Amino acid sequence: MQSAHFSLEGLAVPKIVDKDKMRAQILQAAMMCFAQKGYHATKMTDVARAAGLAKGTLYLYFSSKDELILTLVQSYFDQIREEITVQPVPPSLEAYLAILHSTVGLEQREMTALVFEILGPGFTDPRAEQIIGGFFDWLAGHWGRQFEKLASTGQIRCDRDPVALARAVIAMLDGLFLHLTVFAPDEPLAVARREAALTLIASGLKG
């Protein structure tokens, strides 16, 4: 009995696509388009072209422009969460304030303004509010646990709920960072405002 011989020659072999890599490629293209043309003027066709894809292929990954910008918002806050998570647990109030000092880096203002200009239209979506609110809920809990430890060693006050303290700090930092980004004072003035705000935060935490 003769053995059968099979050949793959001439057969079309399906292309293996890394879906995560493709999604990242599309998101990068969307960011570029939103930055160049603005969210409202950008069409899905523009994103597909920038990503080097057919429009139909783009819709296999993202059903709409709203889904694109929501994913970008989620990615932005996921990245911030990851950066905060890997920071060492501060053993003292001074160490915590040093983290805040680096968080409100003046060199980040230009990038922050660009990010908010690109992602800003997505912030009005109720689903984006859930993403952003969820991030700040997480951050309040994360810092609240750190404050609880600092309070147990007498580093900070213990007569306030640690999560409430964390939310107060977050609100102050939000206001400070937006002020420094939107109004863009010159560097000496920006430094003075940052240092004054951090001094007030330190005083409030000490009680």
Side-chain angles (χ1 to χ4, degrees), residues 78-126:
D78 282 349
Q79 181 180 342
I80 298 175
R81 183 185 308 214
E82 186 176 330
E83 291 171 358
I84 293 173
T85 300
V86 299
Q87 291 172 343
V89 177
S92 65
L93 176 58
E94 287 70 24
Y96 174 73
L97 292 172
I99 291 174
L100 296 192
H101 192 279
S102 63
T103 299
V104 193
L106 301 182
E107 71 283 351
Q108 300 166 347
R109 290 185 295 171
E110 217 173 284
M111 177 57 69
T112 301
L114 179 61
V115 166
F116 276 82
E117 182 180 339
I118 295 171
L119 301 184
F123 289 176
T124 58
D125 189 308

Side-chain angles (χ1 to χ4, degrees), residues 12-43:
V13 179
K15 184 179 179 181
I16 299 175
V17 177
D18 185 331
K19 292 185 177 180
D20 289 339
K21 183 177 180 181
M22 181 63 75
R23 282 175 64 86
Q25 179 179 324
I26 293 170
L27 291 173
Q28 185 65 36
M31 280 285 282
M32 182 181 70
C33 291
F34 294 157
Q36 291 175 346
K37 303 182 68 172
Y39 173 76
H40 296 292
T42 297
K43 302 182 184 304

Side-chain angles (χ1 to χ4, degrees), residues 29-98:
M31 280 285 282
M32 182 181 70
C33 291
F34 294 157
Q36 291 175 346
K37 303 182 68 172
Y39 173 76
H40 296 292
T42 297
K43 302 182 184 304
M44 290 291 274
T45 306
D46 299 323
V47 177
R49 186 182 301 114
L53 301 172
K55 188 176 179 181
T57 303
L58 172 62
Y59 279 108
L60 293 175
Y61 291 89
F62 296 95
S63 62
S64 66
K65 196 167 62 169
D66 284 347
E67 186 184 351
L68 266 173
I69 201 163
L70 278 174
T71 304
L72 286 170
V73 170
Q74 181 74 68
S75 298
Y76 176 71
F77 284 97
D78 282 349
Q79 181 180 342
I80 298 175
R81 183 185 308 214
E82 186 176 330
E83 291 171 358
I84 293 173
T85 300
V86 299
Q87 291 172 343
V89 177
S92 65
L93 176 58
E94 287 70 24
Y96 174 73
L97 292 172

